[in-house]
Amino acid sequence: MRRPVILASLVTFIASFCTLVIEIAAGRILAPHVGVSLYTWTSIIGVVLAGISLGAWAGGWLADRRPVPSTLGWLLLASGMTALLIAPAASLAATFAVESTLPVRVVLLSTLLFFLPSFFLGMISPVAVRLAVSELHTAGRVVGKIYAFSTLGSIAGTFTTGFYLVAEFGTRATMFGVGAVLILSAFIFGSLLGRTGVVAGVAFALTLAGLVMFGPRTFQPPFQKQVATPVETGPIHVEESQYYTIEVAQTVSEEDGRALQALHLDHLVHSYSDLYDPSFLAYNYLQIFNDAVGWKRRQYGTARLLFIGGGGYTLPRLIEASWPGAVIDVVEIDPAVTRVAHRYFGMSPQTTIRTINEDARWFAMRATEKYDLIFIDAFNDLSVPYHLTTRQFAQRLRELLDSDGAIVANLIDNYAKGRFLASYVKTLQSVFGEGQVGVMIESELDTADVQSTYVVVASPALDRMLASIVHERALTDKPSPAGRPIPPAQLQRYLRDRKAITLTDDYVPVDNMLAHLFR
């Protein structure tokens, strides 16, 4: 290849690489503010493609009017500058309250953060091609070679970001690297080392100064993955894994002032733990889970329990401390969450809890042990792993249960407006049968037009299980406020009224069913 073609190929490789780095990292950048859902990725991909498309049109127009290397340099510089602004702009935008639905908010935030970098990066290829093509009879070969390198750059950027950059350096350091590479490329390939280089250098220095002024939460220097503070209440650990933005914070209980550790996964507070009291359960759904454990403990001196979703390991830690005979397996997809739980949430170094760091669906496909109880604590309001909600997965979990075992799952929905709760119940009924699936609520208010947490229980021994739990609560001085079962007849009417469907691997519109929550 001639030198102009080689240079054009390198530039388009770099531009495409950086475009895909931004697009893949975009999900992690938005996750702490709007969660990760189908709407998030739809908005990111749509906005980035819109930017590339309009950029290609504008780049073609500009290439015909100013086909000189400095044009390429200025475009690379603009791309780098806007890439550097993504991280601080994300944190700044998150401070503004916008009254809108989540889909609208995600589209607006995606446009604000990612349109301009995508637009400028989209302009680069047409200009690079125009500079490389000198003879019409070789234009096809030249364009083919350049776009082949462009596609290779996209592939390299996708895999490098997904498998390495975000997990190793975090999104903010990754965006800093993208900006630095693009600005450096502007000087190398864009003939900006003359008088214009002074302008570019000043602009670059001003941008970095502005980034630093936003503080450590909005800009982390490269290689910094942890933030520690000496204050009594506040974040003590922040890191980005391949799955979550993880934050550990110190806080206090509003009820009795006890010191607690809080685990944030993306936008959601996942769990609270008392390091000195494993019996502390902050959420009522965990009380229901623990009631199910008590039912099984009264039946047997030992049991095998499976938790899908580890988080802060709150209930596994309690069971390990109070029931030495129990065998506890936890399937947690993110090894970083497990490491954080061991370091910050009171897990004993000699713990008998076995953790499997892999996707729960993959684990269930290969598992051979039978379990007495399977707890699903992997759903939240904005991010539901849909492949864990389907009939096929429920059938596989049913095969892993002992004869009178139970699946106990918590989920978030609006009883009066949502369809996810109803459809999930119907899906489990398609596996267990109508009379073997129930829903536990805290009070009658949860069957109104409110967003709440519901616990769905599926078991061949459902009636005996619920009767035992109710009886046991009646014997205590302070019965748990959680865990009132919806009467079966009312539940069936609810499924009909909400037009419940059976979720399958072929049709599982979970995000659309939860759209009413996205406010």
Side-chain angles (χ1 to χ4, degrees), residues 77 81 198-208:
L77 182 64
M81 299 285 285
V198 177
V199 178
V202 171
F204 186 33
L206 290 175
T207 301
L208 286 181

Side-chain angles (χ1 to χ4, degrees), residues 80-360:
M81 299 285 285
T82 51
L84 285 174
L85 291 172
I86 288 175
S91 296
L92 183 63
T95 63
F96 294 99
V98 178
E99 291 296 329
S100 67
T101 62
L102 180 70
V104 172
R105 193 157 67 249
V106 173
V107 171
L108 290 176
L109 195 56
S110 299
T111 303
L112 174 67
L113 299 179
F114 309 119
F115 179 79
L116 279 180
S118 303
F119 177 78
F120 287 122
L121 286 166
M123 293 181 70
I124 290 173
S125 289
V127 174
V129 169
R130 178 66 178 83
L131 293 175
V133 173
S134 57
E135 298 176 351
L136 188 61
H137 69 278
T138 62
R141 290 197 300 272
V142 171
V143 172
K145 291 173 183 177
I146 292 174
Y147 276 94
F149 273 88
S150 174
T151 303
L152 286 175
S154 299
I155 295 170
T158 300
F159 283 101
T160 303
T161 308
F163 290 135
Y164 180 70
L165 290 178
V166 171
E168 185 65 22
F169 303 115
T171 51
R172 286 167 174 76
T174 299
M175 289 301 99
F176 176 88
V178 167
V181 166
L182 289 170
I183 291 173
L184 183 62
S185 299
F187 293 125
I188 295 175
F189 301 108
S191 299
L192 295 184
L193 292 176
R195 289 178 300 174
T196 56
V198 177
V199 178
V202 171
F204 186 33
L206 290 175
T207 301
L208 286 181
L211 289 170
V212 173
M213 289 176 63
F214 278 95
R217 284 300 306 274
T218 56
F219 174 72
Q220 298 174 11
F223 315 114
Q224 181 177 328
K225 296 173 62 176
Q226 181 172 327
V227 176
T229 67
V231 297
E232 183 176 347
T233 300
I236 59 174
H237 178 84
V238 176
E239 72 171 278
E240 294 180 72
S241 71
Q242 291 173 309
Y243 299 95
Y244 302 107
T245 298
I246 303 170
E247 179 183 300
V248 181
Q250 292 179 330
T251 185
V252 294
S253 171
E254 294 181 357
E255 294 183 0
D256 55 16
R258 72 170 72 203
L260 300 174
Q261 299 277 78
L263 175 66
H264 299 250
L265 299 181
D266 291 337
H267 74 293
L268 188 73
V269 180
H270 188 278
S271 59
Y272 292 102
S273 295
D274 185 331
L275 300 185
Y276 305 101
D277 182 8
S279 67
F280 175 79
L281 300 177
Y283 296 117
N284 281 326
Y285 83 84
L286 287 177
Q287 297 284 356
I288 301 174
F289 280 19
N290 198 37
D291 286 340
V293 174
W295 166 68
K296 188 58 66 175
R297 185 173 183 176
R298 290 189 294 274
Q299 287 184 302
Y300 307 106
T302 185
R304 182 178 289 272
L305 312 177
L306 174 65
F307 287 83
I308 295 175
Y313 283 63
T314 306
L315 190 55
R317 177 170 162 251
L318 169 58
I319 298 170
E320 182 183 36
S322 60
W323 190 6
V327 178
I328 306 169
D329 289 345
V330 176
V331 179
E332 168 54 57
I333 192 171
D334 193 347
V337 170
T338 299
R339 291 195 302 270
V340 166
H342 278 266
R343 183 175 179 183
Y344 294 101
F345 288 87
M347 293 283 287
S348 169
Q350 291 78 39
T351 182
T352 59
I353 298 171
R354 182 176 72 130
T355 296
I356 303 96
N357 289 127
E358 63 186 25
D359 182 82

Side-chain angles (χ1 to χ4, degrees), residues 12-30:
T12 54
F13 179 93
I14 292 169
S16 297
F17 181 96
C18 291
T19 301
L20 266 295
V21 172
I22 292 172
E23 185 171 3
I24 299 300
R28 298 265 27 93
I29 292 171
L30 293 184

